[in-house]
Amino acid sequence: MAKTIIQMINIIKRYYIGQPNELQILNGISLDIHEGEFVSIVGASGSGKSTLMNMIGALDRPTEGEYFLDGTDISRLNDKQLSNIRNQKIGFVFQTFNLISRTNALKNVELPMMYAGVPRKERSRRAMELLELVGMKDRYTHQPNELSGGQKQRVAIARAMANDPAIILADEPTGALDTKTGHLVMNIFHKLHKQEGKTIVLITHSPELASETERIITISDGSVISDTLENTAENAGAENTEVSGE
Amino acid sequence: MKNPLLKRLPRELKSDIGKYIALFLFLSLTIAFVSGFLVADNSLKKAYDDSFEKFTVEDGHFILAQLPEDDLLSDIENEFDISIYPLYFVNGETPEGHTVRFYTQRDEVDRIDVLKGEFPEKDDEIAIDRLYAENNNISVGDIYTADKKNFKVTALTAFSDYSCLYKNNADMMFDANKFTVALVTDDAFDSLSGAVQYCYAWVDHDRDMDDTAREDKSDEIMKYIAKKAVLTDFLAQQNNHAITFTGTDMGGDKVMIQWLLYIVIIVLAFAFAVTTRSTIEQEASVIGTLRASGYTRSELLWHYIALPLLTAAAAAVVGNILGYLVTPDMMASMYLHSYSLTKYTVIWNADAFVRTTLIPLAIILLVNLVIVSVSLSLSPLQFLRRDLTRKKNRRAAKLPNWRFLSRFRTRIILQNRAAYIILFIGIFFSSVLMLFGMMFSPLMDHFKEQVVSSKFSEYQYLLRMPLETDTEGAEKYCAAALLNDNDEEITIYGIDPDSDYITGLDVSGDKVYLSDGFMEKYGIESGDNVVLHEKYSGDEYTLRVTDKYDYPATLSVFMSRETFCDMFGIDSDSFSGYFSDEKITDIDEKLIAATITEHDLTIMADQLDDSMGRLFPIFGAFSTVMFVLMMYLLSKLVIEKNTSNISMIKILGYTDREASGLYSRATWIVVVLSLLISIPLSGFTIEKIYYTMMLEYNGWLSYWVAPWVYPMIFVIGVLCFAAVSLILMKKIKRIPLAQALKNME
């Protein structure tokens, strides 16, 4: 059994604590995700999946419960330590890409490495490698407004990989893309999972997309209602790992 | 860890260069103005303080009716351990009626500083006071006529014992327009026609006495001399307005100027913070990405406040450089326009540096730190999703069933209320400054009109002793000066109950009236008791106030001559002078202590106008720039925040003009409302400041605002925004239709 990279024990998240409109979004979620897994978290709008992603991504702290990310108890870290965890252990891919405007593809990929203090030459080399991995090497000088949606998302995936994170957390990564481009992006995730052995957590409301992953965790009303293994690591997306330009 | 965000700063500066240049210029000029003022004030104060030692300013002087006997002066010197030096003078007149006080060179005491030119060497040469010369457009080389002789002006000077040109110590105000001290050669002095005043100045050998000891010692000197000679005048340094008034007046405006700076800085700090907050909203997704990539909140916080801080720091540096190199002379000219000060050099002022550099930077840092950190306190995910509201389920305010466009504009105002609140504050402070700059000159004119219309008589004589006159209509009166609790001089008049000059005042019995300014200044009501005291003896007099009398010129008390004589324990037929509409010619001029003319009564207003008059246009210009700056920055911000919406309504078919109408008319509404609220509010504020300020001055000028001032401020405010609107209109025109369709990247 691979080592547990995400361990959540009875996670509760409340907002407006002590106020009349106090809201409990997560109701004691417990789950383990192992190194190298390709997991999707699905749920309807308002089910709590985004809040769960918030917790997994160390973007927020739980109100109660324990969360160990790669062995570190996240729930006790301050803002600076959480920021460091995000920089070193997590790569984010967002639905809306969130590339930095007026900054070319190469620099966007270099961004997390700049923060991590990677020397200029080294980070340029690695950024080019990553752009090549996602099929965007020839567009490295392009600025976000010169790229299509799919191309932006591929740059965003390269950026997520920049610091060689323990997990890649993708929040509706194909939500803003057409079906064909969405498949291309999913292929990159499969490739990263298969070739690089990355742990990937995909947040989606699409059962179709979720079905491409090894394991589907379904959230409803802030609780895990199902946790099923769909595909094995051997066959998940194996037929579609080629990446081509748009 | 190197912060890669640093690289973005030049780009961000470039992209909003207009805003930063405007803020930089305004801030640096404000700091230059205040720094210059503080540096000048400090430098001049030091020059003034140092002049006492440097030019050996007297500890006092006395005037004898005739030349003393041979050993009198040496007796006084030995008795009191002092040195006495002759300081003879002769008063002369110019053809314009100005008084010139001629002296010869003094080497030991009250030495003279030559500011321009050379001391006179020939008998037809003269050195006059620099300020008097400036007020009368006299330059070195000019011919100056005095005592019916023509002199060539060889120097403009500062007499160390006349830093303030008081002709007589009893005068209400100094007069640098019609009185000067002058230096001529010994032979020229001997040829003057007026009577020589045998004035002697003394310098105490003990330099470490405190004020009380000095006062006591000067009293003893006076008594000693009075026993041995006929004294016509005796004045210790601490009572000599010509020497001390400058020192007490200097620095009086410092607090006001500093507060002006702090208010401007606070308003600008909020303007910086609100525009930064808007930038944060626009860059929410970038912030979210950076936060998700590991950037901490504090790194982003410092990034967003870096440009405001750097702008403020650069402005502080430039402002201080200007404050030392350019503005001190401008600011010093305000003092030099009132006082005859010796030469000064600009000196480093650590206090000014703290007040104009460190405190403004701290204010900008603090305001921005608080507002920006609150803005950045949202979670990374909220930034990523551009969900920047703090309240869940926030609902739009319910508006009445107005026309669609009215509701649309109201929503624009509500959505941008933070910017509009800052705009209102900016407009309010600008209105305060503008009102301050505009109100004083008309107020002085109004005061002078009132004084002239309420003067008792064409001529008012104060005699050295009671003397009869045959002048028709001349009416006797008594007068004395007492001090109130604030040591402000109050003139007590004893008048005839059926006076032809002070009419409508029933002074029968023990009735006592106070001039309206006196009552207003000290909040005295009819029926109150007022306690006054003698300056030297300390004898107290308690007066019960019957009512007020409309006499704005001086702080005065009116009673019958009988009550007056009773109160001071003098003969009932005693008197101090005459009111007369005719010039009195049958009394020797030497026996007339003072002739109070219209000029004497309005001199306080003239002097205030003279000394502060140069500040008024500065305040006017300053407030106009502030109007434009605040209106431009904040309405630009509203448009930038709504770029996508403006683009969208253009797509829906609105023309540029209509789109501009929707957005800039919302700002128009706010500007007009802000002006309508701010102007009366600024009137209220200035009235409070005015009363506090006037309490510092001797005398009283009632608060009055010319009727045209408020409408004028409104019109200027509207014109400023009209100019800003034209710029904004261009900005709206430049928003492309495709903007609404663009991805935020």
Side-chain angles (χ1 to χ4, degrees):
Chain A
M1 188 71 176
K3 87 168 180 182
T4 304
I5 196 135
I6 291 170
Q7 185 181 24
M8 291 188 141
I9 306 164
N10 204 22
I11 294 288
I12 291 173
K13 182 66 185 178
R14 290 191 202 100
Y15 291 102
Y16 311 116
I17 294 164
Q19 293 175 31
N21 57 340
E22 183 174 309
L23 211 58
Q24 183 156 319
I25 305 290
L26 299 180
N27 300 318
I29 286 184
S30 296
L31 58 86
D32 291 344
I33 294 174
H34 303 287
E35 197 170 32
E37 270 193 303
F38 191 173
V39 183
S40 58
I41 297 175
V42 294
S45 179
S47 60
K49 64 180 189 300
S50 294
T51 307
L52 182 61
M53 180 202 143
N54 236 351
M55 303 295 139
I56 295 172
L59 293 171
D60 202 354
R61 273 168 292 211
T63 312
E64 284 177 36
E66 289 176 297
Y67 170 30
F68 295 91
L69 175 63
D70 204 12
T72 308
D73 187 355
I74 296 294
S75 50
R76 287 184 176 78
L77 300 184
N78 61 26
D79 182 62
K80 195 171 170 57
Q81 291 165 321
L82 279 179
S83 296
N84 200 34
I85 289 282
R86 287 198 294 269
N87 182 252
Q88 298 297 320
K89 307 252 182 203
I90 304 165
F92 287 91
V93 179
F94 305 105
Q95 180 177 359
T96 50
F97 329 124
N98 291 348
L99 298 183
I100 309 296
S101 57
R102 289 169 293 170
T103 304
N104 67 31
L106 185 73
K107 292 287 175 198
N108 260 289
V109 178
E110 283 185 20
L111 188 77
M113 293 187 277
M114 282 184 201
Y115 186 75
V118 176
R120 181 194 292 262
K121 273 189 183 172
E122 170 61 16
R123 68 175 189 245
S124 277
R125 186 195 58 74
R126 174 149 174 81
M128 284 302 283
E129 260 180 31
L130 291 167
L131 285 171
E132 189 174 10
L133 183 72
V134 297
M136 288 293 292
K137 189 180 177 183
D138 54 340
R139 303 287 174 102
Y140 76 98
T141 56
H142 288 219
Q143 300 215 343
N145 60 359
E146 297 165 337
L147 299 172
S148 69
Q151 289 169 330
K152 282 179 194 172
Q153 196 60 299
R154 281 191 275 160
V155 174
I157 294 170
R159 182 181 63 189
M161 290 287 292
N163 283 338
D164 194 20
I167 57 170
I168 290 177
L169 196 55
D171 181 20
E172 302 280 11
T174 61
L177 305 174
D178 60 65
T179 313
K180 188 183 166 198
T181 316
H183 276 299
L184 282 172
V185 167
M186 281 303 289
N187 285 345
I188 295 172
F189 284 122
H190 286 302
K191 183 179 173 184
L192 293 177
H193 174 233
K194 196 170 170 57
Q195 293 181 2
E196 307 284 323
K198 287 288 163 202
T199 309
I200 299 173
V201 178
L202 180 75
I203 312 288
T204 181
H205 67 277
S206 160
E208 189 193 344
L209 219 57
S211 67
E212 287 190 35
T213 64
E214 293 175 343
R215 179 180 164 195
I216 302 173
I217 299 169
T218 308
I219 305 282
S220 180
D221 293 332
S223 302
V224 175
I225 55 166
S226 74
D227 187 347
T228 55
L229 287 172
E230 285 290 307
N231 307 295
T232 61
E234 287 71 33
N235 65 9
E239 70 282 8
N240 251 335
T241 50
E242 279 300 308
V243 176
S244 62
E246 286 168 80
Chain B
M1 193 181 298
K2 188 183 165 191
N3 189 345
L5 285 172
L6 287 175
K7 282 188 172 177
R8 284 175 66 91
L9 291 178
R11 201 164 62 198
E12 285 169 11
L13 178 67
K14 200 175 156 192
S15 71
D16 219 351
I17 193 75
K19 177 182 101 177
Y20 288 110
I21 286 179
L23 286 168
F24 168 80
L25 287 177
F26 189 64
L27 202 50
S28 53
L29 290 177
T30 308
I31 290 173
F33 168 70
V34 179
S35 169
F37 181 86
L38 296 178
V39 168
D41 179 84
N42 187 52
S43 304
L44 286 169
K45 185 83 171 78
K46 186 167 188 323
Y48 169 78
D49 290 340
D50 290 351
S51 72
F52 283 73
E53 283 304 314
K54 189 176 173 186
F55 296 97
T56 324
V57 174
E58 64 183 42
D59 286 306
H61 69 251
F62 52 89
I63 302 175
L64 301 177
Q66 56 197 36
L67 275 171
E69 288 175 14
D70 288 348
D71 51 354
L72 175 64
L73 297 178
S74 55
D75 284 352
I76 303 168
E77 285 179 328
N78 294 334
E79 181 70 24
F80 294 100
D81 191 25
I82 59 176
S83 295
I84 296 175
Y85 307 96
L87 219 58
Y88 301 161
F89 66 85
V90 170
N91 285 332
E93 277 208 352
T94 69
E96 298 83 20
H98 299 178
T99 302
V100 184
R101 185 160 293 164
F102 293 96
Y103 287 94
T104 54
Q105 185 61 280
R106 318 92 172 262
D107 297 322
E108 310 280 354
V109 68
D110 295 337
R111 284 194 296 275
I112 301 163
D113 195 14
V114 175
L115 303 171
K116 193 173 184 186
E118 303 285 342
F119 280 126
E121 288 177 351
K122 296 178 186 165
D123 296 345
D124 62 347
E125 290 179 342
I126 193 168
I128 58 171
D129 181 80
R130 186 266 318 159
L131 179 57
Y132 170 82
E134 282 176 6
N135 289 343
N136 291 282
N137 295 317
I138 301 167
S139 308
V140 171
D142 286 358
I143 299 299
Y144 180 69
T145 307
D147 200 42
K148 295 175 184 163
K149 293 184 182 67
N150 287 338
F151 293 95
K152 184 183 174 190
V153 177
T154 61
L156 303 183
T157 61
F159 281 55
S160 57
D161 54 336
Y162 278 96
S163 59
C164 199
L165 286 171
Y166 271 91
K167 185 164 75 177
N168 298 306
N169 206 49
D171 290 347
M172 277 190 295
M173 206 50 166
F174 55 94
D175 187 358
N177 292 310
K178 296 185 177 177
F179 171 68
T180 184
V181 280
L183 178 75
V184 290
T185 61
D186 291 350
D187 288 342
F189 186 83
D190 290 340
S191 69
L192 293 169
S193 61
V196 175
Q197 301 291 310
Y198 299 109
C199 179
Y200 295 89
W202 83 81
V203 175
D204 206 305
H205 296 159
D206 182 358
R207 309 305 291 163
D208 301 323
M209 278 188 295
D210 61 21
D211 288 349
T212 317
R214 284 158 69 93
E215 186 85 45
D216 292 345
K217 189 164 182 178
S218 63
D219 282 351
E220 284 175 27
I221 294 172
M222 182 176 71
K223 285 175 193 161
Y224 185 88
I225 300 170
K227 279 183 202 163
K228 305 211 168 189
V230 179
L231 260 179
T232 59
D233 197 8
F234 184 93
L235 202 53
Q237 185 204 77
Q238 62 268 24
N239 301 323
N240 187 345
H241 291 154
I243 295 175
T244 59
F245 185 83
T246 306
T248 41
D249 186 56
M250 283 176 106
D253 303 327
K254 223 162 89 172
V255 175
M256 190 174 75
I257 297 283
Q258 279 167 203
W259 274 105
L260 166 75
L261 173 70
Y262 297 153
I263 288 169
V264 168
I265 296 290
I266 290 169
V267 173
L268 287 186
F270 275 99
F272 269 128
V274 169
T275 52
T276 305
R277 205 174 77 158
S278 168
T279 307
I280 288 172
E281 285 170 12
Q282 285 169 40
E283 296 186 347
S285 56
V286 174
I287 294 168
T289 307
L290 292 172
R291 293 279 285 129
S293 302
Y295 287 75
T296 62
R297 192 176 288 139
S298 64
E299 282 161 341
L300 290 167
L301 174 67
W302 287 110
H303 171 73
Y304 279 104
I305 63 175
L307 280 179
L309 266 187
L310 288 173
T311 308
V317 170
V318 172
N320 269 288
I321 290 171
L322 292 175
Y324 276 92
L325 298 181
V326 182
T327 46
D329 286 341
M330 283 165 59
M331 297 298 131
S333 72
M334 286 194 293
Y335 279 128
L336 296 174
H337 202 62
S338 298
Y339 303 120
S340 296
L341 292 161
T342 53
K343 281 193 279 286
Y344 76 99
T345 46
V346 175
I347 52 167
W348 160 252
N349 182 352
D351 185 54
F353 177 75
V354 169
R355 288 175 194 283
T356 60
T357 308
L358 300 186
I359 294 179
L361 283 178
I363 292 172
I364 287 175
L365 174 66
L366 191 71
V367 170
N368 279 274
L369 210 58
V370 170
I371 292 181
V372 176
S373 62
V374 167
S375 297
L376 288 173
S377 65
L378 298 170
S379 72
L381 205 67
Q382 279 176 290
F383 281 111
L384 287 166
R385 293 180 173 172
R386 306 184 65 80
D387 172 21
L388 304 180
T389 55
R390 243 156 254 284
K391 294 175 187 166
K392 290 254 182 219
N393 306 321
R394 195 176 137 195
R395 286 184 190 160
K398 192 167 167 53
L399 295 176
N401 196 21
W402 294 333
R403 284 187 318 127
F404 168 74
L405 289 181
S406 301
R407 279 190 291 156
F408 190 89
R409 286 191 193 107
T410 309
R411 292 223 180 274
I412 293 170
I413 294 170
L414 292 175
Q415 281 161 7
N416 297 285
R417 57 186 177 276
Y420 284 137
I421 287 170
I422 301 298
L423 179 60
F424 168 76
I425 294 170
I427 287 176
F428 167 66
F429 282 117
S430 305
S431 307
V432 170
L433 295 180
M434 197 169 276
L435 177 59
F436 193 77
M438 277 187 176
M439 64 171 279
F440 270 93
S441 288
L443 185 144
M444 305 292 179
D445 293 341
H446 177 73
F447 173 76
K448 282 188 266 185
E449 277 170 28
Q450 277 193 314
V451 165
V452 171
S453 68
S454 65
K455 70 177 176 183
F456 302 137
S457 55
E458 290 300 320
Y459 299 93
Q460 185 182 335
Y461 296 95
L462 191 64
L463 304 175
R464 292 192 188 278
M465 62 183 75
L467 291 163
E468 295 297 333
T469 177
D470 292 330
T471 308
E472 198 179 334
E475 181 181 298
K476 291 171 184 169
Y477 73 91
C478 297
L482 294 177
L483 302 181
N484 67 357
D485 289 345
N486 281 27
D487 280 344
E488 180 160 10
E489 198 169 283
I490 312 292
T491 309
I492 318 294
Y493 283 104
I495 59 169
D496 283 345
D498 52 353
S499 171
D500 291 333
Y501 295 97
I502 302 178
T503 53
L505 208 56
D506 175 17
V507 288
S508 59
D510 289 337
K511 287 178 183 161
V512 169
Y513 296 83
L514 267 57
S515 63
D516 48 351
F518 185 15
M519 291 181 75
E520 197 176 313
K521 183 170 184 177
Y522 291 103
I524 302 166
E525 304 282 341
S526 301
D528 286 356
N529 284 332
V530 176
V531 180
L532 303 171
H533 63 269
E534 286 262 15
K535 187 174 181 180
Y536 296 111
S537 69
D539 292 347
E540 282 197 356
Y541 303 92
T542 303
L543 306 169
R544 190 173 177 78
V545 181
T546 307
D547 207 347
K548 69 175 178 184
Y549 181 64
D550 188 14
Y551 184 63
T554 55
L555 304 191
S556 313
V557 174
F558 301 91
M559 58 182 69
S560 68
R561 274 178 62 195
E562 191 185 343
T563 311
F564 182 97
C565 294
D566 274 355
M567 186 170 112
F568 288 101
I570 54 175
D571 292 343
S572 59
D573 58 348
S574 186
F575 64 96
S576 315
Y578 288 99
F579 297 127
S580 174
D581 284 337
E582 301 292 327
K583 189 170 184 178
I584 291 176
T585 52
D586 56 355
I587 294 176
D588 186 346
E589 280 192 15
K590 285 178 183 167
L591 300 173
I592 297 173
T595 307
I596 299 166
T597 61
E598 196 173 294
H599 172 70
D600 294 313
L601 295 174
T602 59
I603 195 167
M604 180 189 171
D606 285 336
Q607 203 53 56
L608 275 174
D609 212 1
D610 241 18
S611 61
M612 291 180 71
R614 291 175 179 210
L615 265 182
F616 302 147
I618 294 175
F619 274 95
F622 199 76
S623 51
T624 308
V625 173
M626 192 158 160
F627 256 145
V628 173
L629 186 70
M630 298 306 288
M631 287 171 180
Y632 172 71
L633 284 179
L634 297 162
S635 40
K636 174 173 163 274
L637 183 151
V638 171
I639 287 178
E640 282 171 355
K641 268 178 80 174
N642 290 283
T643 305
S644 290
N645 294 344
I646 293 169
S647 172
M648 182 57 83
I649 61 168
K650 280 186 182 182
I651 291 169
L652 293 174
Y654 281 69
T655 62
D656 286 335
R657 183 173 288 276
E658 286 164 342
S660 171
L662 270 178
Y663 280 87
S664 72
R665 203 163 300 160
T667 310
W668 263 113
I669 293 167
V670 175
V671 167
V672 170
L673 279 176
S674 299
L675 283 168
L676 289 174
I677 297 169
S678 292
I679 290 172
L681 205 59
S682 59
F684 175 78
T685 310
I686 284 289
E687 192 174 350
K688 297 281 171 208
I689 294 171
Y690 178 86
Y691 275 88
T692 314
M693 198 179 89
M694 284 308 293
L695 279 174
E696 301 293 318
Y697 285 94
N698 284 332
W700 188 252
L701 275 73
S702 291
Y703 181 74
W704 183 80
V705 180
W708 55 267
V709 169
Y710 290 131
M712 181 63 92
I713 294 174
F714 183 81
V715 169
I716 291 173
V718 166
L719 288 177
C720 286
F721 189 67
V724 167
S725 287
L726 288 177
I727 303 169
L728 295 178
M729 175 76 182
K730 282 187 180 174
K731 204 169 173 61
I732 287 176
K733 269 187 187 169
R734 280 203 299 265
I735 296 174
L737 288 171
Q739 180 69 34
L741 309 174
K742 271 187 185 172
N743 188 298
M744 287 311 288
E745 289 154 0

